Amino acid sequence: MKTEKGTILRQECIAKDTYRMVITTTQSADMNPGQFVNLAIANVMLRRPISICSIDKDSFTIIYKVVGKGTALLSRMYAGECIDVFGPLGNGYVIEEREQEVLLIGGGAGVPPLYELAKRYLRCGAHVDVVLGFHDEPSIFYEQEFRDLGCEVYVATMDGSYAHQGTVLDAIDQEGIKTSFICACGPLPMLKALEQRYTKGYFSLEARMACGMGACMACIAKDAREADMYHRICKEGPVFAIGKVVLV
Amino acid sequence: MSEISVDLHMDLPGLHLKNPIIPASGCFGFGREFAQLYDLSRLGGIAIKSATPKSRFGNEVPRVAECESGMLNAIGLQNPGVDQIIETQLPWLAQFDTEIIANVAGASEEDYVEVIQKLNDQEVVKAFELNISCPNVKHGGIGLGTQPELAAKVTKMCKAVAKKPVWVKLSPNVTDIVAIAQAVEEGGADGLVMINTLMGMRLDLKSGKPILANITGGLSGPAIKPVGLRMVYQCAQKVSIPIIGVGGITSGEDVLEYLYAGASAVEVGMYNFVDPYCCIRIIDELAEVLKKYGLPSVKDAVGRSLRV
């Protein structure tokens, strides 16, 4: 964990409002799937927490969706420019090496951290099914990239413009996927629906953060079992075991 | 220029500061996260996260919202409670050569007294900072800080039991901050810390609702620096106790402005979230900036605007 000036190696639009950026780093050895970086962006006050999508020797990749002013400004940066990166931050996915069947479930902007995770599980020899949910066909990204890694990939679109119509759960049902160990990242309604069915695995949460390092107490999740017990999403998370925290 | 020939030292009630830079309470936790980035002994002091008699969860999320030149927060004094702080945080902080200021909060005057009594014999705590200015708690906090009589009363009660100097952190959300400052001085305060955050709010364009779960929050960051400077300047002329300036500090230049306005030291708040190394940078910048304006020491800068 430190701040450093990275150089943007690539910046490209890969789907509707969705960008991929590759940034140089000296921190790759410390980066794990599910962790994030807090990026300083000119003309907005606070840093923006963005999950790490892929980790290479001297660089890492993020995929982010333009949802507001900060990400819009980020999308207007160019290859060759410097960007102030604070990270890696938080606790990523625990790799459960005993799991031979792993189901990765991503919704929209929650898909990126699952990519590096898929690589890790494949390296462990696990069979990896990936279910990706998007709003519509133009929003889809990384279907082929996951397939190229060696995963079985299924896609659901809410408007039915591509593959299964409906949610990721609809796709799981229609494909008859029975895997019980899941790792998921995506919008809250998706995680809440998954929590009703799955008990084994991990969720990655999104939150409004300030410091990103556990000091300011802005991004708090309540413990699901113990009253008055809380967890900092940026520090103890953003990845939590299913059922560990209250999803709100 | 790394060789520093200027004197950054400042002696204040309870606090022998090697430099006048102190991370502000609530923006630095208990320092554990920042200790992974730099040696906390380089700091003049640390104002640790508020302590209340019992643990507090704080407000619901969202607790922060960004603004044009700052941020709103409504954390709600989340802390593990004074006993837990004594047990787990203070012994750890003792390893650092820096002055620890315990920020004290509560829902009633009695809460403040209770926390002070528990912290009195903790050697690592060098001074108390009464938080009578938190805008995000329903009782106590700002309720005590917006009326001169109540502010004086809680100060007096705390002074009666405190074995260490008592600083009082003032709220800017008042009609006349000088009246509060004077009341607190009469109550026996050893110094003032000012300003806490300015109450504000933001709304979500899609839902039409306030962004913060608490509806309102406290504005901090560069946006409030001119307000802080003005209030320090006004109070410095009317009280004889020292002032620690807070509000929107991001650079050595900002510190110098606060010193000129009458502050003897400063606290740095939300900018720690933007640049986690900022306190260390600001210490270095302050030395350079003092040199640039021909000031041999921090003491020479304090209250300069009041002498011209």
Side-chain angles (χ1 to χ4, degrees), chain A residues 46-48 217 222 230, chain B residues 33 60 63 66 78 274:
Chain A
L46 294 172
R47 289 174 180 265
R48 294 296 189 270
M217 301 292 160
K222 284 179 188 165
Y230 63 86
Chain B
E33 294 76 27
E60 298 298 321
R63 293 175 167 186
E66 191 178 47
Q78 176 160 8
V274 178

Side-chain angles (χ1 to χ4, degrees), chain B residues 187-207:
Chain B
D190 295 284
L192 304 175
V193 181
M194 54 194 290
I195 55 177
N196 206 318
T197 55
L198 283 152
M199 209 192 280
M201 77 182 288
R202 289 210 56 202
L203 294 106
D204 183 79
L205 295 180
K206 207 166 164 185
S207 69

Side-chain angles (χ1 to χ4, degrees), chain B residues 101-119:
Chain B
I101 302 167
N103 185 293
V104 178
S108 66
E109 287 96 338
E110 290 71 28
D111 281 357
Y112 290 80
V113 168
E114 183 183 341
V115 172
I116 285 178
Q117 282 172 327
K118 285 192 166 161
L119 289 170

Side-chain angles (χ1 to χ4, degrees), chain A residues 46-167:
Chain A
L46 294 172
R47 289 174 180 265
R48 294 296 189 270
I50 312 269
S51 63
I52 296 166
C53 168
S54 180
I55 305 160
D56 294 291
K57 191 165 164 281
D58 300 309
S59 67
F60 68 102
T61 301
I62 56 170
I63 292 175
Y64 60 95
K65 194 169 174 187
V66 173
V67 290
K69 193 180 167 192
T71 40
L73 288 166
L74 188 62
S75 74
R76 286 178 218 139
M77 293 185 80
Y78 293 99
E81 282 189 81
C82 274
I83 185 160
D84 183 314
V85 179
F86 182 34
L89 299 169
N91 284 307
Y93 288 96
V94 177
I95 309 291
E96 304 278 6
E97 294 188 14
R98 292 159 307 161
E99 299 294 338
Q100 289 306 301
E101 303 273 329
V102 180
L103 173 57
L104 306 184
I105 305 168
V111 168
L114 302 178
Y115 185 67
E116 184 66 32
L117 186 62
K119 290 196 239 171
R120 301 291 165 108
Y121 270 112
L122 289 166
R123 222 176 284 164
C124 292
H127 174 87
V128 181
D129 281 327
V130 179
V131 178
L132 307 176
F134 297 97
H135 182 67
D136 51 22
E137 186 175 9
S139 303
I140 298 170
F141 62 89
Y142 267 41
E143 180 189 10
Q144 190 57 42
E145 280 80 354
F146 276 101
R147 204 161 278 146
D148 291 343
L149 291 178
C151 306
E152 294 286 335
V153 185
Y154 310 92
V155 174
T157 52
M158 290 303 281
D159 71 348
S161 53
Y162 185 86
H164 296 282
Q165 201 223 315
T167 66

